[in-house]
Amino acid sequence: MIDKPLLAGVMVLLTLSLVMSYSLSTYTVVHFNYTDFHFFIRQSMAIFLGFTTMVILSKMDPDTWFSRMGLALFILFFILMIAMQFLPSSLVTAVGGAKRWIRVGPMSIAPVEFFKVGFIFFLAWSFARKLLDKTKMGFWEEVRTFTPYLFVFLVAVVIIAVFQKDLGQVVVLGATLMVLFLFIGSSLKFFFTLLSGVFAAFIGLIFFAPHRMARIKSWWGTVQDSILSVFPFESVQSLRIEVGKEPYQISNSLNAIHNGSYFGEGLGNGQFKLGYLSEVHTDFILAGITEELGLLGLTLVTLTMLFIIFRIFKIASKVKNPMYYLFSIGVGLLISFAFILNSYGISGITPIKGIAVPFLSYGGSHIWASCIAIGMVLMVSKKVPRDSKGRMK
């Protein structure tokens, strides 16, 4: 028996995504002279494909199909991410010089969304085979043991952060990898050493990319007063920078959230979607939801997301197979970090990363990939011991 509460939670968010893709795309539809149902129809197709895939996967036998599916995702989309850099512009969509989407007929596929799921499988599969039986390791033995995984991750960093200019996806993958290291028994010394290296590399990726530096300065200009006021030292005040207008995206996002108040302006009645807040149905969908459905709507979305994450972690805690356990933990972490980064970005707490909200943001690739990940977790959930009423033991 699959975990029906998890399936129900995902269905709730997918349904809301469909509704909001119609409500929040009003200005974009008029501006580009699209039909009223342009985004609604496209999102419907993505959700139908994702939901169908999720149900099909949930019915498969994990002992037969889980590893095959996971390896196929990892190998195929790893190759595609490399190959797409050499494909002609007729097949690849480039934005700002970064090739992120492959055109397949009327569809565009972002390989990185599927690679994330494959990468989590690769880690779970390899960790379960090679590391779970190891006794306590010394620091240098840990370095030797984990270096191959770090090498694979660094290759992914070069492809995603350098060629695709998508640092947000790297942050989500890196955070997930480091937490999984802790789950398989790495020492705190190794963890903090690795964290220091990741932080240094993160700073380097920012300094060597002018668009990222501009984004960081723009964000710092909005939060410097509240942060520097805590440190009344003259030397610290030298970190203050001169800024012009507050970044319009963050400003309008915060205004949309404020405008929604407790109960919202009503579905379809949001004002900031009318040209003030671009991409409101994609990366800023939480701001759009809050303006139209209020704090109450945002709270229900957050609780539903937390419920989904809770069910995934509960399945992980009950399943016996270590590979299934680590994969489920990884999927839960991917969803958690993506939701946190997007939430913090639209509220100005951290710089905007361009991370989609799982199951909510408009976009076929991330919807389909998220449904594949949940489908594999549902496949795994059939291995969880249950009582006569179908509840987990």
Side-chain angles (χ1 to χ4, degrees):
M1 179 185 293
I2 66 169
D3 192 68
K4 293 180 180 179
L6 173 59
L7 178 62
V10 172
M11 287 175 63
V12 167
L13 292 187
L14 290 177
T15 302
L16 180 62
S17 171
L18 195 57
V19 173
M20 300 312 297
S21 68
Y22 177 74
S23 176
L24 297 179
S25 60
T26 304
Y27 175 79
T28 309
V29 163
V30 174
H31 181 73
F32 290 102
N33 199 30
Y34 293 145
T35 61
D36 290 349
F37 291 93
H38 176 84
F39 292 102
F40 180 85
I41 292 173
R42 288 170 176 261
Q43 191 72 343
S44 297
M45 293 170 60
I47 290 174
F48 175 76
L49 180 60
F51 181 76
T52 303
T53 305
M54 181 169 59
V55 171
I56 291 172
L57 287 173
S58 71
K59 293 183 178 298
M60 291 180 174
D61 178 14
D63 293 335
T64 303
W65 292 103
F66 184 82
S67 294
R68 295 179 185 179
M69 187 69 192
L71 280 175
L73 285 170
F74 176 69
I75 295 172
L76 174 62
F77 288 100
F78 192 41
I79 292 172
L80 276 179
M81 285 201 306
I82 297 173
M84 69 189 297
Q85 307 306 319
F86 306 99
L87 293 177
S89 57
S90 59
L91 294 176
V92 178
T93 302
V95 177
K99 296 180 177 180
R100 297 183 183 178
W101 294 275
I102 297 177
R103 284 195 290 273
V104 182
M107 299 174 56
S108 291
I109 294 177
V112 66
E113 296 288 354
F114 301 90
F115 171 75
K116 289 190 298 183
V117 183
F119 183 68
I120 294 303
F121 167 80
F122 165 73
L123 294 176
W125 171 74
S126 186
F127 287 168
R129 292 173 65 243
K130 296 184 177 181
L131 299 179
L132 286 182
D133 294 332
K134 280 185 174 290
T135 56
K136 186 175 178 62
M137 296 180 287
F139 177 77
W140 291 111
E141 187 180 357
E142 284 184 294
V143 172
R144 290 192 299 271
T145 300
F146 292 127
T147 293
Y149 304 104
L150 295 175
F151 176 76
V152 173
F153 176 69
L154 287 175
V155 173
V157 168
V158 172
I159 297 171
I160 300 170
V162 178
F163 292 111
Q164 297 188 13
K165 300 180 182 178
D166 194 352
L167 188 57
Q169 301 286 10
V170 169
V171 173
V172 171
L173 275 180
T176 302
L177 173 63
M178 292 184 64
V179 175
L180 284 178
F181 277 163
L182 285 178
F183 270 93
I184 59 169
S186 70
S187 65
L188 289 178
K189 180 180 180 181
F190 175 80
F191 176 81
F192 285 112
T193 302
L194 183 60
L195 184 63
S196 301
V198 168
F199 181 74
F202 184 75
I203 296 299
L205 287 170
I206 291 174
F207 272 97
F208 286 105
H211 72 284
R212 292 190 187 121
M213 275 301 298
R215 189 178 295 175
I216 291 293
K217 288 181 179 178
S218 178
W219 166 77
W220 177 247
T222 65
V223 300
Q224 60 181 352
D225 290 337
S226 56
I227 293 178
L228 294 180
S229 62
V230 180
F231 304 98
F233 308 108
E234 190 64 32
S235 58
V236 175
Q237 299 307 312
S238 63
L239 296 174
R240 190 178 299 276
I241 62 174
E242 293 295 327
V243 293
K245 294 173 63 178
E246 186 177 24
Y248 81 94
Q249 282 287 76
I250 292 298
S251 175
N252 287 332
S253 175
L254 293 173
N255 286 334
I257 293 170
H258 180 267
N259 196 42
S261 189
Y262 292 106
F263 302 106
E265 292 290 297
L267 188 63
N269 294 329
Q271 300 300 309
F272 285 86
K273 66 184 181 184
L274 303 177
Y276 300 101
L277 192 58
S278 63
E279 301 182 5
V280 66
H281 57 300
T282 56
D283 297 343
F284 284 83
I285 192 169
L286 290 179
I289 288 174
T290 306
E291 184 183 16
E292 297 199 349
L293 304 181
L295 179 62
L296 176 63
L298 180 64
T299 300
L300 292 175
V301 167
T302 303
L303 290 176
T304 304
M305 193 71 71
L306 290 175
F307 176 76
I308 290 170
I309 295 167
F310 167 75
R311 295 303 299 187
I312 293 173
F313 285 157
K314 188 171 183 179
I315 290 168
S317 69
K318 300 293 183 180
V319 76
K320 306 296 184 183
N321 188 308
M323 179 174 63
Y324 299 162
Y325 160 75
L326 289 171
F327 178 80
S328 299
I329 290 290
V331 170
L333 291 172
L334 278 182
I335 295 172
S336 302
F337 288 132
F339 185 70
I340 290 170
L341 279 176
N342 184 281
S343 303
Y344 282 16
I346 67 163
S347 55
I349 298 174
T350 62
I352 300 171
K353 290 289 190 300
I355 293 290
V357 183
F359 314 111
L360 275 178
S361 294
Y362 173 83
S365 291
H366 97 87
I367 289 288
W368 194 11
S370 298
C371 287
I372 288 174
I374 294 298
M376 294 178 70
V377 173
L378 290 173
M379 190 194 307
V380 164
S381 71
K382 293 189 294 186
K383 291 293 184 179
V384 175
R386 296 178 182 272
D387 60 20
S388 60
K389 294 183 179 180
R391 294 175 299 195
M392 294 187 195
K393 291 183 179 179

